[in-house]
Amino acid sequence: MGKTVINNGTIMLPTLINLNDLVIFEEVIRTGGFSAAARKLNQPKASVSRAVQRLEDDLAVRLIQRTTRSLRLTEAGVLLYEQANASLEQIGDVLCRIKNMHEQPEGHLKITMPIEFGMFFMGSLIADFMQLYPQVYVQVDLSSRLVNLIEEGFDLALRMGASTLQDSSLVAKKLSELPLRFYASPYYLGKYGRPDTLQALTKHESILFRHTHQQTIQASCLSHKKAQNNRTETQLHGKLSVDHYSVMKDAAVAGAGIALMPPFMCHAEVLAGQLLNILEQYVVETDQLFLVYPTRKHQSAAVKILLDFMTQRLLSHPLLNPDQ
């Protein structure tokens, strides 16, 4: 019989065998006969005998010397039984663990999300999840880049903006709109005055997000939310442009200008009086929040439960749905 070899990192067996036949062979030896094994496995005796014969044919070696009264293992049979017994137990343990991964949440999860969102939401959310499911290990990646979930082995992503959903192989679940509102520091408003209309913003210094010199926005009036043509377009002007809301927030607190930000970004600063929500009747809807994952098929229990947990927590969060 040939030896096991390794080809390009892959273990190659000398011949292919049916693992069920190996299980039946092991049971025949363990119970002491074909009849006892058939009763234990709830199979016809003829099926048990054919399975052992098929195993011998596949290996091209006699495993059991049969007589009308007894069975005796050959040298090859003894070797196979001793090794198969331990190996089958290990395989059974692995298969049970894999099955349990789809029934009981356990294993490792890898998730990614934008930096600002992760900083303000995910620490407490993930901690609560892991307290409920202590057998789950979670790796959180905060990144501004668009991570390739499949190639980089991620189970789940939080993404802001429909433009990030270009990969048609991914499943995207919309969680909420991400409204933006206007904020300024008491220092800035005391020095330059408080705008009372959208048009007045053109005379103020704004902190722009990923735009240079000026930015066109469309704002909706909350008091006329159901009215048609409820959006008003205006221009924001500013000398400072940033690509992270955390930088925008700090600059606004320092009095650099008026900032258009998601409410969750500056909630603590508003409570502390460092920033004030101005033009409260207006909201700018520019982005949406999505949960994105590779596939719905054969998800582990851990992925399914984390999806449900994050959906419930984020949908009910008042800072993500301030108008509810």
Side-chain angles (χ1 to χ4, degrees), residues 120-273:
F120 283 88
F121 285 100
M122 298 315 296
S124 59
L125 189 153
I126 294 299
D128 291 345
F129 176 81
M130 295 182 72
Q131 287 180 1
L132 291 173
Y133 305 102
Q135 299 304 314
V136 179
Y137 296 78
V138 182
Q139 177 183 340
V140 180
D141 175 76
L142 303 184
S143 176
S144 298
R145 68 186 180 90
L146 198 59
V147 172
N148 188 311
L149 299 189
I150 296 175
E151 288 185 4
E152 299 182 47
F154 282 91
D155 299 291
L156 182 65
L158 267 169
R159 289 188 174 166
M160 299 166 64
S163 61
T164 63
L165 307 178
Q166 299 172 356
D167 189 342
S168 60
S169 66
L170 301 176
V171 180
K173 180 179 182 180
K174 180 182 173 182
L175 292 181
S176 69
E177 303 287 339
L178 288 177
L180 307 180
R181 296 200 169 176
F182 299 96
Y183 298 93
S185 70
Y187 168 80
Y188 177 89
L189 297 176
K191 186 173 182 179
Y192 298 104
R194 183 179 187 129
D196 54 2
T197 66
L198 283 177
Q199 290 71 22
L201 288 172
T202 60
K203 300 178 181 179
H204 281 266
E205 184 73 15
S206 293
I207 305 169
L208 307 180
F209 187 72
R210 295 177 180 171
H211 288 76
T212 304
H213 304 307
Q214 70 178 29
Q215 178 179 351
T216 302
I217 63 167
Q218 290 188 341
S220 301
C221 183
L222 294 175
S223 59
H224 301 92
K225 202 168 186 179
K226 295 183 180 180
Q228 292 183 348
N229 300 321
N230 182 31
R231 294 188 177 184
T232 302
E233 183 175 293
T234 191
Q235 297 283 335
L236 304 180
H237 302 273
K239 295 187 288 291
L240 175 60
S241 173
V242 301
D243 64 353
H244 284 283
Y245 281 122
S246 55
V247 179
M248 177 182 283
K249 177 191 67 177
D250 292 343
V253 169
I258 296 173
L260 184 61
M261 294 185 291
F264 71 82
M265 279 297 306
C266 54
H267 179 64
E269 287 73 18
V270 170
L271 291 179

Side-chain angles (χ1 to χ4, degrees), residues 175-177 181 225 314-318 320-324:
L175 292 181
S176 69
E177 303 287 339
R181 296 200 169 176
K225 202 168 186 179
L314 294 175
L315 280 177
S316 62
H317 202 293
L320 288 178
N321 300 276
D323 301 323
Q324 288 185 354

Side-chain angles (χ1 to χ4, degrees), residues 28-47:
V28 167
I29 306 308
R30 196 177 64 82
T31 58
F34 287 91
S35 298
R39 288 193 297 270
K40 182 69 181 293
L41 295 171
N42 195 27
Q43 293 187 22
K45 180 180 177 182
S47 297

Side-chain angles (χ1 to χ4, degrees), residues 50 56 205:
R50 282 196 299 270
E56 290 179 325
E205 184 73 15

